[in-house]
Amino acid sequence: MKNGRAKINASGIYYRELNRMIREAIAAGEQEIELIGVNGQRYIADGIKQKVMIIIDGVPGNDLSAFMDGPTVIVNANAQDGVGNTMNDGKVIIHGDAGDVIGYGMRGGKVFIKGNVGYRVGIHMKSYKDQVPVIIVGGKAVDFFGEYMAGGILILLGLTCPNNQSIVGNYLGTGMHGGQIFVRGKVEKHQLGAEVGIQEIGPQDHKLIEPLLREYCEDFNLDYNESMSRPFIKLVPVSHRPYGRLYAY
Amino acid sequence: MVRSYIPAEFIVEVDHEKCRRCKRCLLNCSFGALEFKDRVTPLHEQCVACHRCLTFCPEGAISVEANPLGFKYSHNWSPQLRKNIWKQAETGGVLLTGMGNELPYPIIWDCLVLDACQVTNPSIDPLREPMELKTFLGSKPDFLEFDTGADGTLRLKTKMPPQIAIETPIIFAPMSYGALSFNAHKAMAIAAAEFGTVLETGEGGLHRDLYPYKDHIIVQCASGRFGVHAEYLNAGVGVEIKIGQGAKPGIGGHLPGEKIGEEISKTRMIPRGTDALSPAPHHDIYSIEDLRQLIYAIKEAIDYKPVSVKIAAVHNVAAIASGIVRAGADILYLDGFRGGTGASPTIIRDHVGIPIELALAAVDDRLRQEGIRNQASIIAAGSIRSSADVAKAIALGADAVAIGTGALIAMGCRVCQKCYTGNCAWGIATQRPELTRRLDPEVAAQRLVNLLHAWSSELKEILGSLGVNAIESLRGSRERLRGIGLDALTLDIMGIKPAGR
């Protein structure tokens, strides 16, 4: 008799088998699936559309939640590269760090990361009508944050960093032509890609990020006031057509 | 405005004796090359030789000629090079173009000839005997195992990997909805369904109205990930990861904001009017291992249907192809340097990449040497111009070919190379509603079906003359090819003998 909750021991199971077991559990009507002993298995929640909850104990492998379209995934450890690759909807909550290329081409849903992230996070994120993808990073990011960004919202908090330390690498927003990046702290001009400009944030921006940060803080049991304790800057594209005048017609 | 130094490429002549001043030509010209000042007056500089006006002139009163303007002869400084420099001096821009490589590199297809049966082995008449063109695209097992049933009959025990079955070894090449009009996409979908082949979507997603053609569609996932979601990935019989394209190897794509109208916006899932920028690489693929990761991310999302990987033919294509097959691709799509495009920098289109004939031979050889040729089907593309090119490609080792420009020509394209302007007078490479409605999808589909029918019939004639009754028997059979005028090293790379041997 199904009670809507399933527990799968992933220890020593190859990803293909593990993901088949997850899909079978969903097909059997489970609403909440707890995976224990996860150790690097790739593609967990890949392409899944049902609005189920998947709780991961251990470190999931690359491309977690790739092409995902609905579920909520909670990782009680670090995650690796490619989280939320081309994700359409759903939510990923990572109680640790995450690797490179998080949210590549992501079009909807949320990825919340408590710790730091690697290179090219939020690359080519895009929004469409009411689908607005959101990535919030609690720690620091390195180079190419928001590269090629075409839409959506990226928020970088640097909660674990001292006030005077830079929380992001270079080439921030390179090739950006849509969307918004919010950074809690200072960014030097040399850190920016050529296609972005810095703006002060206004009341409209506050209205946009406040509910997102409240949700983020609730998920990680953090103090919302602390997340708002330093001023944010906003990065926007100089043009939504950065290469419009490159060509001879 | 400073007057351009660039002379007109074409001269439009209107015979005012014949002209009835009905102005149909003005309505048809989408490049602004005709005015009406008491009578039809050409603006020669604007003419691109799309032939729309003269095709629809009821009196046959219009002709278009190449501008005979003399240039002081120089073998080195061709008029085209001079015009390019004038244009760049005037604009400071990167030269853009459409369609495939136009420079006079040797065309190897035209240096290859096919064999035929005479006396010692009989040829076959395809009009009277069955001739098999059916082709299966996908990974084939290393070996077959059989069970013996209770009655002593053999039964296949090996589980066959999924295959894409096509009735003729010709598919429609990936050309995006965005580069092409909806009607052009729809025409190819109708024709693919009617003839029993497939259409590749290109990287612009798939319009919802074409989802019913799912059994005849391979969807593409490119670096921009436009319109890519789990439902889209499952909207066809397979998925293709586009790494590169013959007309612009190694560079990304820019669909200009002007082309992103409501329907394109809906399909690509990006706001109207923004540029659709495809990054040059997939930023989750920097190695063969990364490619494997994406192949299997997609396979997990599509229940292990075939995944194709498309690359442009470049210098070390054989080693790259081996990596792609080992990464788990079920189909390898090779695009030669003459492959077409809706928009590419001219310099890249004309000077980067290698011919498909050499790439195909080198890849087929390498995969055979490594014992992995069965693991992936090969689709050859990059200017397949006739059924003879199809037969030669298959003899060199291709499982099937893809036609892009050829399909567009069937629909009415004049190869004027102005796709990037979005002004296509034939309603093919444009999003302007008054132009796209010129292309009736049903009519265009019939023209495509006719082309597939004609080429397939010719292929059967070729097979018959070779004395074989299935396209399988020609596949990789380079002994049935000979080279004319090719140097020894080229013959060696292609694994064929010179004519006379």
Side-chain angles (χ1 to χ4, degrees), chain A residues 15-16 19 23 43 46 62-63 85-86 104 107 120 123-124 126-128 131 148 241 246-249, chain B residues 87 91 93-94 223-225 228 254 258 265-266 269 275 277 279 283-284 286 293 296-297 300-301 304:
Chain A
Y15 75 77
R16 196 165 165 180
N19 291 329
R23 282 194 289 268
Y43 316 124
D46 183 334
N62 291 355
D63 274 347
N85 189 348
T86 323
Y104 177 12
R107 187 186 304 108
R120 297 203 147 93
I123 179 168
H124 217 308
K126 44 180 83 77
S127 60
Y128 177 64
Q131 280 189 283
Y148 261 117
R241 304 207 43 201
L246 184 63
Y247 301 107
Y249 279 86
Chain B
K87 189 181 245 188
T91 63
V94 171
S223 65
R225 307 284 158 90
V228 176
H254 300 169
E258 294 89 1
S265 153
K266 238 190 261 176
M269 303 175 86
D275 279 2
L277 304 183
H283 279 292
D284 51 357
Y286 289 1
Q293 183 175 314
Y296 281 89
E300 281 285 323
Y304 287 80

